[in-house]
Amino acid sequence: MNYRFKKKPVTIEAFQMTEERRRVNEDWPPWLHDAWQKDRKEPGALFPVELGSISCPLAIHTLEGEHAVDRDDWIIQGVKGELYPCKPDIFALTYDPAPD
C-alpha cells in the first residue's frame, strides 16, 4: 500500500499581511476586501481580533473555526475560494511564484 502522496499542481492566490498592509489596505486583492465585509461568524470572514485595532493580529473564520493571522502570515485563497492563514516559513517551503 502506498502511504506517500504528492500535491497536485494547483495555482492559488495569496497575500502576505504585513503591518503596513494592515494599516493601508489599498493593495489588498478583491477577494480579501470581500472577506473583510463578511460577518465575522461567516466562513471566509477576515476581521480584527481587537475591534477597532489597525494592527495585527487578525483572524479568519473557517469551517474549522477561527484561525489567527499574525504579522507577516500569508492569507491563502484555496481552490474552492476558502481562506486560511499560512506561516511565512511554511509558505516558502510549499509555494513558488506562478507566471501571470
Side-chain angles (χ1 to χ4, degrees):
M1 176 174 260
N2 188 4
Y3 295 103
R4 294 175 49 121
F5 296 87
K6 181 179 174 183
K7 275 189 176 182
K8 293 179 180 178
V10 296
T11 301
I12 53 97
E13 290 199 31
F15 181 82
Q16 191 170 31
M17 186 58 73
T18 63
E19 191 167 349
E20 177 64 22
R21 286 176 158 178
R22 172 62 183 93
R23 278 196 300 273
V24 180
N25 65 2
E26 63 192 29
D27 65 340
W28 288 17
W31 51 267
L32 202 55
H33 281 289
D34 292 344
W36 188 256
Q37 298 303 315
K38 291 184 177 186
D39 181 89
R40 66 186 301 147
K41 297 205 184 284
E42 185 179 348
L46 174 70
F47 53 92
V49 174
E50 255 182 67
L51 289 177
S53 173
I54 60 167
S55 65
C56 289
L58 300 170
I60 296 173
H61 188 92
T62 71
L63 293 175
E64 294 83 26
E66 291 183 6
H67 292 271
V69 178
D70 295 318
R71 185 178 301 116
D72 297 328
D73 282 357
W74 287 85
I75 300 174
I76 296 172
Q77 182 183 44
V79 296
K80 290 189 173 184
E82 72 280 10
L83 300 182
Y84 54 94
C86 185
K87 296 294 180 198
D89 58 335
I90 302 298
F91 189 88
L93 290 170
T94 307
Y95 298 99
D96 287 321
D100 288 335

